[in-house]
C-alpha cells in the first residue's frame, strides 16, 4: 500500500468514525429531549420552614445537595441525598430555615463525579462558585412593590442609551461616589467639574427612555474578591445567568447584597422616567467542558459536531437553544429577570445563534408579564454554526420573529463607513452611492415604494437604528480614521449629521453612551491610535469623560434637541410598514449625496420635511410652497422654531441636516 493510499484509507476511517459519533450524539440528544421537565420549580425554592431543591440531571446515577455556611472556603455543613423524581429530575426537601446558606450539587454520572453550581441559582457567593438560598422578598428595596415601569405606548417611542456599569462612574469627572458600581447609576445631583449634570441626571437631561446595561449578570473574568488592582471587562463571558455581577455590588461575598442593589437602581431609574434593558448572553458560556451545565448533563447544552464544540459565537462554544431544556432555561431566565427585577427589555447578544422558536416563545411568555417589554438583538452570528439558516433568529429572518427587533448594520455602515474597514468613508464623509441605504434606514428597514434595497423589517419597531455601540471604534474615532485630514469643526458637523439621521429615522434609535460628548477611546501602548475592542482595556480608555460635556456642550444640546423633537412628533415614530409607506415620501431630483423626505401626519395636521446633506458643499433643495419653520439646522435642534423661511427652495449647508415644519 503506498503512502497516498494509506492516507486516503485513514481519512475515510476518520470520516466514518465522526459520522458514527455524530449519529450517536444526535440519538443521545433526542433521548434527553424526550425526558424534558416542564415544571416551574427547578432550583432552590425557599420557604422559612423548608427549602426544596430540584435539578434536571437525567444521566445522573445520584445527586446530592451540599450545604455550606459561606460562599467560599471549607465550611460544608451538610450533604443531602436527592431522590430521583419525574422527568429526569432529582429532588430534595430540607426542613428548617436555610436562608443565607450556600449550596452546590454533587452529580455522579458515568463521566465522573462533579460539583456544580445550580444553573437556576438565584443568588451566589463571591465569584459565583456556590449558589445561595435566598429569601427574595427580603432583597426588595423600600417601596419596591410600588415600583412601576415608566409609560411606553409603542416600541418606536424608545430611545436607547447603552452603558457599561463602570464607564459611567469610573472617571473622576463624574463626581459619582459609588465608582464602578450599580449604585453609581442611581446617584442624583452629580455634576462634572463645571457643574454640568453627570450620570443619571445627565441621562434624564438628554431625554433617553431606555438605559441599556451591558452584561450585568454574573460573568467570569473579574475576580470579585479583589478591588485592587482595578479590573475591567465588558462581561460577555457568562457564569451564572440568573444572578447580578458581584463586582458591581458593594459586597460580593453576601449573595443578597448585589440583588438588592441592582433592584434599587432599577427602581431609581424608573422613578426618573427611564426603563432598563439588560444585555443578555445566552449564546455561549465562559467555560464549556467544565461548565456547570456540562457537569450536570454532559454535552447536552452545547452544539457539537465531530466530537467538538461548534463555535458560532467565536468564544469557543455555542448554546443549543433549540433543545427543549436549553430553550426552557433561556425562557425561564428572561422571565425571571423581567418579573423579579422589573426589567423592561432584553438585548440578545449574537441572537442569530438562537433559533426562531425560542425567541418567539420568549416574546410570548414575556407578553404575559408585560407586552411593552422590548426585545432586540444582534441578527448575526460570530462564526460558523450548525444551526440551519432557516432556523436562525437573524436579520434576514426578522419577519418570522414576533415583535423582536434587530440592529441595522445597514444604516450604521452607510452613515460612517464599514466598521470592518476603518478608513472607509460613509455618507457623512461625503461618500457617494449611499443614498438608497440612507433612505432604507430612514424608512425603518421596511418595504417602501421608493427604496430599492431589500427590506427585512416587517414593521419599523423591528429596526434598531444606530451608528455606534460598544463594539468597534466610537463614532468620533471612526469619523477621524476615515477622514484624518478633516478639522475638528468638520468632524463635529459629520457627527451631528449622523445623529440627526439616527434620531429622525423611523424605527428605534440606539446610542452608545457618550456619543453625545464625542466619546473617544484612545489607543494603548501597542501603537494603535484608537481602541476598537476595549473589552479588557483600562478605565482610562473606557470611561465616559464627563468634562467633555463642558467642552462639547453644543453637541450634547444638539442630541438633546433631536430627542425632544422626536418625542414631540408621532410621525417620526410610525408603528407599521403601511404607515411608513403612506406617510413618508422621499423627495426626488436631489443632488448626489443628498436625501430628503416629507412626512405627513393627517391626525396632527402636520407636514415635516427632513433633509440630510452629506456633500461637502451646500445644496439647494426644492420645497413645496408656503412658509416653513426650521427646527433643526447645522447648529441647533429642538422643539422651538429657530426661524421661518419661505418655501420654494431651501439651502442645506454642507455636511448638515435640516428639519422643517410647514406652517399651515
Ligand atoms: Ca462574576
Amino acid at each position: 500500500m503506498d503512502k497516498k493510499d494509506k492516507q486516503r484509507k485513514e481519512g475515510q476511517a476518520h470520516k466514518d468514525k465522526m459520522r458514527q459519533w455524530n449519529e450517536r450524539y444526535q440519538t443521545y440528544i433526542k433521548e434527553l429531549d424526550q425526558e424534558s421537565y416542564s415544571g416551574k420549580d427547578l432550583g432552590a425554592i425557599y420557604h422559612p420552614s423548608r427549602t426544596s431543591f430540584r435539578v434536571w440531571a437525567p444521566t445522573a446515577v445520584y445527586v446530592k445537595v451540599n450545604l455550606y455556611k459561606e460562599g467560599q472556603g471549607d465550611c460544608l455543613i451538610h450533604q443531602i441525598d436527592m431522590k430521583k423524581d419525574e422527568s429526569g429530575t432529582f429532588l430534595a426537601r430540607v426542613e428548617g430555615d436555610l436562608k443565607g446558606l450556600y449550596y452546590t450539587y454533587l452529580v455522579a454520572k458515568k463521566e465522573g463525579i462533579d460539583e456544580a453550581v445550580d444553573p437556576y441559582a438565584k443568588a451566589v457567593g463571591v465569584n459565583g462558585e456556590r449558589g445561595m438560598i435566598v429569601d427574595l422578598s427580603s432583597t426588595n428595596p423600600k417601596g419596591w412593590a410600588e415600583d412601576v415601569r415608566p409609560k411606553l405606548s409603542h416600541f418606536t417611542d424608545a430611545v436607547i442609551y447603552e452603558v457599561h456599569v463602570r464607564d459611567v462612574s469610573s472617571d473622576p469627572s463624574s463626581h459619582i461616589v459609588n465608582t464602578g458600581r450599580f449604585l453609581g447609576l442611581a446617584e442624583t445631583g452629580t455634576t462634572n467639574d463645571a457643574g454640568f449634570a453627570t450620570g443619571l441626571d445627565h441621562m434624564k437631561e438628554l431625554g433617553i427612555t431606555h438605559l441599556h446595561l451591558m452584561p450585568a449578570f454574573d460573568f467570569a473574568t473579574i475576580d470579585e474578591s479583589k478591588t485592587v488592582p482595578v479590573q475591567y471587562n465588558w462581561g460577555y463571558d457568562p457564569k451564572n445567568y440568573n444572578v447580578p455581577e458581584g463586582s458591581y455590588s458593594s459586597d460580593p461575598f453576601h449573595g443578597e447584597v448585589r440583588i438588592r442593589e441592582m433592584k434599587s437602581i432599577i427602581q431609581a431609574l424608573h422613578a426618573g422616567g427611564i426603563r432598563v434593558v439588560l444585555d443578555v448572553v445566552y449564546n455561549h458560556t465562559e467555560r464549556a467542558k467544565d461548565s456547570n451545565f456540562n457537569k450536570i448533563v454532559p454535552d447536552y447544552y452545547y452544539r457539537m459536531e465531530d466530537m467538538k464544540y461548534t463555535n458560532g459565537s467565536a468564544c469557543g462554544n455555542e448554546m443549543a437553544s433549540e433543545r427543549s431544556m436549553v430553550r426552557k432555561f433561556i425562557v425561564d431566565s428572561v422571565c425571571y429577570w423581567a418579573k423579579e427585577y422589573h426589567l423592561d427589555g432584553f438585548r440578545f447578544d449574537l441572537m442569530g445563534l438562537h433559533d426562531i422558536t425560542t425567541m418567539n416563545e420568549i416574546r410570548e411568555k414575556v407578553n404575559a408579564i408585560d407586552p411593552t417589554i422590548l426585545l432586540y438583538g444582534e441578527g448575526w452570528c460570530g462564526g460558523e454554526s450548525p444551526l440551519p439558516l432557516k432556523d436562525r433568529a437573524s436579520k434576514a429572518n426578522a419577519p418570522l420573529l414576533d415583535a423582536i427587533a434587530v440592529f441595522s448594520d445597514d444604516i450604521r455602515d452607510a452613515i460612517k463607513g464599514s466598521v470592518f474597514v476603518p478608513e472607509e468613508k460613509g455618507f457623512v464623509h461625503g461618500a457617494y452611492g449611499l443614498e438608497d441605504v440612507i433612505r432604507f434606514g430612514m424608512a425603518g428597514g421596511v418595504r417602501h415604494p421608493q427604496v430599492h434595497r431589500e427590506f427585512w423589517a416587517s414593521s419599523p419597531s423591528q429596526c434598531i437604528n444606530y451608528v455606534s455601540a460598544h463594539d468597534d471604534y466610537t463614532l468620533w474615532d471612526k469619523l477621524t480614521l476615515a477622514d484624518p485630514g478633516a478639522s475638528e469643526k468638520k468632524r463635529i458637523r459629520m457627527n451631528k449629521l449622523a445623529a440627526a439621521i439616527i434620531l429622525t429615522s423611523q424605527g428605534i434609535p440606539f446610542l452608545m453612551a457618550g456619543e453625545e460628548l464625542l466619546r473617544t477611546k484612545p489607543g494603548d501602548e501597542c501603537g494603535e491610535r484608537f481602541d476598537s475592542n476595549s473589552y479588557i482595556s483600562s478605565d482610562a480608555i473606557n470611561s465616559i469623560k464627563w468634562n467633555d460635556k463642558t467642552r462639547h456642550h453644543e453637541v450634547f444640546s444638539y442630541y438633546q434637541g433631536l430627542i425632544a423633537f422626536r418625542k414631540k412628533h408621532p410621525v417620526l415614530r410610525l408603528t407599521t410598514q403601511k404607515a411608513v409607506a403612506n406617510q413618508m415620501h422621499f423627495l426626488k431630483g436631489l443632488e448626489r449625496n443628498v436625501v430628503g423626505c416629507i412626512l405627513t401626519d393627517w391626525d396632527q395636521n402636520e407636514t415635516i420635511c427632513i433633509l440630510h446633506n452629506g456633500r461637502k458643499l451646500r445644496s439647494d433643495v426644492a420645497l413645496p410652497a408656503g412658509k416653513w419653520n426650521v427646527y433643526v439646522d447645522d447648529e441647533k435642534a429642538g422643539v422651538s422654531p429657530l426661524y421661518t423661511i419661505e418655501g420654494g427652495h431651501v439651502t442645506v449647508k454642507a455636511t448638515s441636516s435640516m428639519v422643517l415644519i410647514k406652517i399651515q
Side-chain angles (χ1 to χ4, degrees):
M1 195 160 52
D2 66 13
K3 203 175 158 193
K4 248 189 179 168
D5 214 29
K6 195 178 164 210
Q7 273 177 350
R8 195 182 52 80
K9 280 207 167 134
E10 278 172 6
Q12 190 55 48
H14 179 76
K15 264 191 201 160
D16 288 346
K17 188 182 159 196
M18 289 305 138
R19 187 177 42 79
Q20 283 164 12
W21 187 90
N22 289 337
E23 282 170 12
R24 276 202 310 277
Y25 179 66
Q26 289 309 324
T27 308
Y28 171 72
I29 297 301
K30 242 184 223 156
E31 283 169 6
L32 289 176
D33 270 345
Q34 280 162 8
E35 252 196 293
S36 290
Y37 178 71
S38 58
K40 291 179 178 165
D41 60 345
L42 287 168
I45 311 290
Y46 171 80
H47 184 273
S49 59
R50 89 195 72 86
T51 297
S52 72
F53 299 86
R54 190 189 287 275
V55 61
W56 186 69
T59 65
V61 181
Y62 67 79
V63 185
K64 295 173 195 253
V65 184
N66 290 325
L67 283 181
Y68 294 94
K69 193 163 179 289
E70 288 171 359
Q72 60 177 357
D74 188 13
C75 51
L76 183 71
I77 300 172
H78 204 41
Q79 197 171 60
I80 302 119
D81 290 328
M82 298 183 84
K83 277 206 181 97
K84 198 156 174 58
D85 204 76
E86 60 176 300
S87 308
T89 64
F90 282 78
L91 176 69
R93 289 199 181 93
V94 184
E95 297 299 317
D97 190 350
L98 305 190
K99 180 176 170 175
L101 295 184
Y102 292 81
Y103 74 105
T104 58
Y105 294 130
L106 198 69
V107 186
K109 64 264 161 210
K110 76 173 187 328
E111 291 83 355
I113 302 174
D114 284 300
E115 187 173 6
V117 183
D118 184 355
Y120 275 81
K122 295 183 175 76
V124 295
V126 68
N127 285 325
E129 294 293 335
R130 287 173 191 160
M132 190 187 103
I133 298 143
V134 64
D135 173 8
L136 284 168
S137 63
S138 73
T139 64
N140 294 340
K142 209 173 152 226
W144 185 242
E146 289 76 48
D147 174 64
V148 285
R149 304 171 196 279
K151 191 175 177 296
L152 184 78
S153 303
H154 303 288
F155 292 132
T156 49
D157 295 346
V159 180
I160 304 170
Y161 190 72
E162 181 199 40
V163 304
H164 180 278
V165 174
R166 266 201 84 77
D167 294 352
V168 174
S169 53
S170 57
D171 190 72
S173 65
S174 71
H175 291 272
I176 291 170
V177 179
N178 289 285
T179 307
R181 291 182 179 159
F182 284 130
L183 292 179
L185 293 171
E187 286 182 40
T188 54
T190 59
T191 60
N192 71 2
D193 295 351
F196 290 111
T198 64
L200 175 54
D201 283 355
H202 170 85
M203 296 171 206
K204 285 195 244 174
E205 191 187 3
L206 182 58
I208 58 146
T209 65
H210 286 66
L211 182 71
H212 160 143
L213 295 176
M214 282 166 66
F217 53 81
D218 180 37
F219 52 84
T221 40
I222 286 186
D223 181 352
E224 299 173 2
S225 68
K226 293 193 189 102
T227 52
V228 184
V230 170
Q231 304 163 75
Y232 187 94
N233 203 292
W234 279 348
Y236 292 92
D237 50 316
K239 192 160 181 180
N240 293 289
Y241 279 106
N242 297 324
V243 176
E245 162 59 16
S247 65
Y248 293 155
S249 77
S250 63
D251 177 3
F253 295 90
H254 295 91
E256 69 282 6
V257 178
R258 57 179 87 178
I259 302 176
R260 188 180 306 118
E261 290 179 351
M262 190 168 176
K263 284 178 175 175
S264 76
I265 61 144
I266 293 167
Q267 186 181 33
L269 285 154
H270 283 174
I274 296 173
R275 288 185 165 224
V276 187
V277 173
L278 184 63
D279 191 342
V280 286
V281 187
Y282 296 107
N283 65 75
H284 75 279
T285 55
E286 198 254 343
R287 317 295 306 178
K289 191 78 197 153
D290 57 349
S291 72
N292 291 313
F293 287 127
N294 252 353
K295 286 174 179 173
I296 298 171
V297 193
D299 295 343
Y300 174 76
Y301 287 88
Y302 304 94
R303 297 184 185 126
M304 294 185 84
E305 259 177 15
D306 298 348
M307 301 175 80
K308 288 198 285 277
Y309 297 104
T310 53
N311 193 18
S313 67
C315 295
N317 64 78
E318 51 178 292
M319 292 261 273
S321 61
E322 69 281 12
R323 295 178 193 160
S324 61
M325 290 304 282
V326 187
R327 176 176 294 154
K328 175 176 165 60
F329 178 79
I330 298 173
V331 173
D332 286 350
S333 177
V334 172
C335 290
Y336 170 70
W337 282 107
K339 259 194 209 159
E340 184 63 33
Y341 287 80
H342 303 180
L343 279 168
D344 311 291
F346 298 89
R347 176 266 190 199
F348 293 83
D349 189 60
L350 299 181
M351 189 170 71
L353 283 176
H354 298 325
D355 64 295
I356 294 168
T357 309
T358 297
M359 292 311 302
N360 285 342
E361 191 173 323
I362 292 171
R363 177 82 263 170
E364 190 195 326
K365 293 276 163 64
V366 152
N367 279 350
I369 300 165
D370 188 326
T372 67
I373 289 174
L374 189 60
L375 302 178
Y376 55 100
E378 293 182 306
W380 49 76
C381 303
E384 288 292 312
S385 169
L387 185 67
L389 286 175
K390 66 171 182 42
D391 296 336
R392 295 183 189 181
S394 61
K395 189 174 80 169
N397 290 334
L400 303 173
L401 293 169
D402 177 16
I404 298 167
V406 297
F407 284 95
S408 175
D409 50 347
D410 310 60
I411 197 168
R412 177 196 72 193
D413 287 357
I415 291 174
K416 66 175 183 180
S418 168
V419 296
F420 303 111
V421 188
E423 65 279 10
E424 186 180 295
K425 291 181 164 63
F427 180 82
V428 300
H429 292 101
Y432 288 124
L434 296 164
E435 297 87 344
D436 197 51
V437 200
I438 297 291
R439 280 191 287 266
F440 172 84
M442 289 168 74
V446 301
R447 186 176 47 194
H448 187 285
Q450 290 173 286
V451 176
H452 308 295
R453 192 176 180 83
E454 199 175 336
F455 72 96
W456 44 258
S458 52
S459 89
S461 61
Q462 281 203 301
C463 180
I464 305 279
N465 282 321
Y466 75 123
V467 67
S468 78
H470 66 276
D471 275 323
D472 308 311
Y473 293 111
T474 71
L475 173 59
W476 184 240
D477 294 343
K478 168 71 179 171
L479 292 176
T480 306
L481 288 168
D483 194 353
S487 66
E488 178 175 293
K489 218 172 136 190
K490 277 204 175 129
R491 280 180 285 129
I492 287 176
R493 295 183 75 87
M494 295 176 196
N495 197 303
K496 287 164 88 174
L497 171 56
I501 297 171
I502 293 297
L503 289 165
T504 60
S505 287
Q506 303 297 328
I508 301 173
F510 170 106
L511 311 169
M512 180 183 71
E515 195 191 292
E516 74 283 12
L517 309 177
L518 307 183
R519 186 171 176 184
T520 177
K521 292 182 189 170
D524 53 21
E525 308 78 46
C526 304
E528 290 288 325
R529 188 167 174 196
F530 301 112
D531 196 338
S532 68
N533 187 13
S534 62
Y535 76 106
I536 49 168
S537 303
S538 64
D539 281 344
I541 288 165
N542 278 300
S543 60
I544 298 173
K545 313 293 186 295
W546 292 102
N547 281 343
D548 287 345
K549 193 172 175 183
T550 313
R551 201 167 135 228
H552 301 302
H553 201 268
E554 175 219 343
V555 180
F556 163 75
S557 298
Y558 197 74
Y559 274 82
Q560 185 190 34
L562 287 167
I563 292 172
F565 187 83
R566 179 179 186 85
K567 282 176 159 177
K568 190 164 180 197
H569 300 284
V571 76
L572 293 177
R573 300 176 270 116
L574 297 171
T575 58
T576 64
Q577 177 273 331
K578 214 172 154 191
V580 175
N582 288 338
Q583 292 177 249
M584 184 176 219
H585 176 76
F586 288 100
L587 297 173
K588 289 177 190 157
L590 303 182
E591 289 183 277
R592 279 171 80 183
N593 213 5
V594 181
V595 176
C597 74
I598 301 275
L599 288 165
T600 313
D601 189 337
W602 295 288
D603 293 338
Q604 308 282 328
N605 197 20
E606 201 167 68
T607 305
I608 298 182
C609 177
I610 298 169
L611 300 166
H612 302 303
N613 178 12
R615 284 157 49 90
K616 289 179 177 166
L617 299 166
R618 64 167 207 203
S619 185
D620 290 327
V621 175
L623 255 193
K627 280 192 165 141
W628 296 75
N629 277 332
V630 177
Y631 288 80
V632 176
D633 67 6
D634 61 324
E635 290 182 2
K636 288 188 174 155
V639 290
S640 318
L642 301 170
Y643 44 89
T644 305
I645 62 160
E646 285 292 336
H649 89 277
V650 60
T651 300
V652 189
K653 289 186 186 159
T655 320
S656 76
S657 296
M658 272 187 109
V659 180
L660 312 92
I661 300 183
K662 195 160 189 239
I663 302 171
Q664 300 300 329

